[in-house]
Amino acid sequence: RFMFPILGVSIALLIVVFFGAQTANTYRFLRFGPVSFQPSEFAKVAVIVFLAFYLDKHADKLNEWRTLLGGLTILGAFGLLVLGGKDLGGALMLALIAAVMFWVAGLRMIYFARGILLAIPALALAVWIEPYRMQRLLVFLNPEVDPKNAGFQIIQSQIAVGTGGLFGQGLMDG
């Protein structure tokens, strides 16, 4: 019975965040005095609650296009609002949550294959239209290009795994 209020509050917070202050050219946080939070985190809970309700209600016709389209419409709205705040990671996490829930509910694998085929160009476009995303991807692939700035953390993680192995060398030993 709380599903609709949770959806409404979550969508409202995702919209309100666009009227707040920008942080590093993004709209991700709402600030209330010294406290700030990301509405996309609340959106993840809302998506879980919505999909639990929706997939239970439509369990007998889960593999029909009409059922999928209804669920994906709500998910798309959430995803676009989160992506509009320039939070690609949050949008991808919403997609992953939805995929796991659809899989657990018993969605046929052909729908996942089709979804992945549709998601690849959309993801490429999302990376291409924002220069900082493209830079992050390029630095991830080749951190030595900028070893003292954008590539620093990646290089340090490679050093940590190289010296300590996959599980490290013990407590406080790196």
Side-chain angles (χ1 to χ4, degrees):
R1 73 178 186 228
F2 296 113
M3 193 249 330
F4 288 112
I6 289 172
L7 281 179
V9 168
S10 182
I11 288 175
L13 289 172
L14 288 172
I15 292 171
V16 166
V17 79
F18 288 106
F19 299 103
Q22 278 189 323
T23 303
N25 201 25
T26 64
Y27 297 98
R28 295 184 188 167
F29 293 90
L30 285 178
R31 298 194 191 309
F32 299 103
V35 178
S36 67
F37 76 99
Q38 285 183 284
S40 63
E41 296 301 319
F42 189 68
K44 292 172 189 170
V45 174
V47 163
I48 291 170
V49 170
F50 164 72
L51 280 178
F53 168 81
Y54 188 81
L55 294 172
D56 180 57
K57 184 176 178 182
H58 298 286
D60 56 331
K61 42 191 171 170
L62 176 64
N63 287 295
E64 295 178 11
W65 275 105
R66 196 176 259 184
T67 303
L68 286 175
L69 193 57
L72 293 176
T73 301
I74 299 294
L75 291 170
F78 274 92
L80 287 175
L81 285 170
V82 171
L83 195 57
K86 298 187 178 182
D87 187 2
L88 180 61
L92 290 174
M93 189 55 64
L94 286 175
L96 180 63
I97 289 168
V100 168
M101 291 188 74
F102 274 108
W103 178 69
V104 169
L107 186 66
R108 291 194 329 227
M109 289 307 224
I110 188 70
Y111 293 113
F112 288 104
R114 290 175 182 164
I116 289 170
L117 288 176
L118 290 173
I120 289 171
L123 184 59
L125 179 65
V127 170
W128 185 69
I129 62 174
E130 289 292 340
Y132 78 93
R133 289 183 190 144
M134 181 63 80
Q135 178 194 10
R136 288 178 70 184
L137 178 64
L138 294 174
V139 167
F140 176 76
L141 295 174
N142 187 10
E144 289 80 20
V145 170
D146 192 6
K148 294 188 179 195
N149 193 11
F152 181 78
Q153 291 295 332
I154 298 169
I155 292 170
Q156 294 304 307
S157 66
Q158 290 172 339
I159 292 170
V161 172
T163 57
L166 192 58
F167 300 104
Q169 296 179 353
L171 183 62
M172 303 301 290
D173 288 333

